[in-house]
Amino acid sequence: LRVLVTAGGTREPIDSVRYVGNRSSGRMGVALAAEAARRGAEVTLVAANVSLPPPEGVRLGKVETAAELADACGEEFARADVLLMAAAVADFRPASPQQDKIKKAGRTGVSLELEPTDDVLSGLAAGRRPGQTLVGFAAEHGPDAAARAREKLERKGLDAVVVNDVSRPEIGFDAEVNEISIVTAADEEEVALASKAEIAAAVIDRVEALRVGEGTTLGR
Ligand code: CTP
């Protein structure tokens, strides 16, 4: 069984040395890749600016921007049975990045115009084939997180959305631990505060359960 995992956060260039980025460390995606490989899957990890070592036995593709991540996933997705889209992909990028470094001299400020990026996950989901399981990840603030995640599941055409509450500083982005809910069309499962390795195991258990009808589990 082939599993495609994205991890980390994309960086969108402002000029030759600066970028618009986010706080994702890639820990959740790396933990998911490690757990899927441990269970016997053939795993490809598309890592956006991740400084952690890749798990053993995992094929690694490195990317920087949302566009590079889209290209890398576009090549791999057709072969994948499971997509775990844990990367924090930029929703907007500088509209006209400078080739060289923007100089301070003679400027009183710099305005940055941002343009939307393509939604990689929605694009992949639009071309999905039967038998594929697609999992999105959502960073939400406060209550109603599950309802918004279910709306995302439907809008993006996914099988599950893993939600975490980014209004709590101790979990999620750039943290060792996480506390999540896994939202599917049928139900919602809460996974209590745990290490990212334990959270990854819970997510993959859920994927295995969703795939019972497909005839292939992660070990095969
Ligand atoms: N995603 C993507 N391409 C983007 C943006 C997000 O593939 N340009 C994916 C992420 O990898 C994640 C899911 O979509 O799996 C998150 O959906 P999104 O609607 O971006 O969630 P939030 O970032 O929580 O969005 P919003 O701020 O709109 O609530």
Side-chain angles (χ1 to χ4, degrees):
L1 189 108
R2 294 198 174 98
V3 178
L4 174 60
V5 184
T6 67
T10 62
R11 292 178 180 173
E12 309 300 326
I14 296 170
D15 66 12
S16 59
V17 297
R18 303 179 179 97
Y19 57 82
V20 175
N22 63 69
R23 288 176 44 215
S24 175
S25 63
R27 279 197 198 95
M28 194 62 244
V30 168
L32 288 161
E35 180 62 15
R38 199 185 64 74
R39 295 191 192 193
E42 195 181 318
V43 180
T44 299
L45 175 64
V46 173
N49 311 295
V50 175
S51 58
L52 304 163
E56 207 154 314
V58 164
R59 259 179 72 216
L60 178 69
K62 291 187 174 190
V63 298
E64 278 190 31
T65 64
E68 287 170 13
L69 184 133
D71 286 347
C73 290
E75 283 170 25
E76 293 294 331
F77 179 64
R79 289 166 12 101
D81 301 295
V82 174
L83 171 66
L84 304 174
M85 196 73 179
V89 185
D91 289 323
F92 296 94
R93 66 174 168 224
S96 0
Q98 299 282 308
Q99 289 291 331
D100 40 17
K101 190 182 166 202
I102 299 169
K103 301 301 266 181
K104 187 167 58 186
R107 292 179 191 272
T108 51
V110 176
S111 315
L112 210 52
E113 194 190 327
L114 304 178
E115 64 181 15
T117 58
D118 291 334
D119 189 314
V120 182
L121 184 53
S122 296
L124 296 173
R128 66 185 289 174
R129 56 175 171 77
Q132 288 181 311
T133 306
L134 276 66
V135 182
F137 288 71
E140 302 286 355
H141 265 271
D144 301 336
R148 285 200 300 273
R150 180 155 290 112
E151 183 276 320
K152 234 165 238 183
L153 176 114
E154 284 160 16
R155 177 163 44 86
K156 298 199 184 198
L158 308 176
D159 301 292
V161 173
V162 175
V163 204
N164 63 0
D165 182 351
V166 286
S167 63
R168 293 173 51 192
E170 71 281 17
I171 62 169
F173 272 113
D174 203 13
E176 297 289 348
V177 294
N178 205 353
E179 182 179 311
I180 57 152
S181 312
I182 307 170
V183 175
T184 64
D187 56 23
E188 184 194 327
E189 179 191 342
E190 312 270 340
V191 183
L193 189 70
S195 71
K196 286 190 172 173
E198 290 167 285
I199 298 287
V203 170
I204 292 178
D205 284 347
R206 198 75 191 87
V207 169
E208 300 252 38
L210 285 168
R211 291 189 63 78
V212 163
E214 305 295 348
T216 50
T217 58
L218 262 70
R220 277 175 275 147

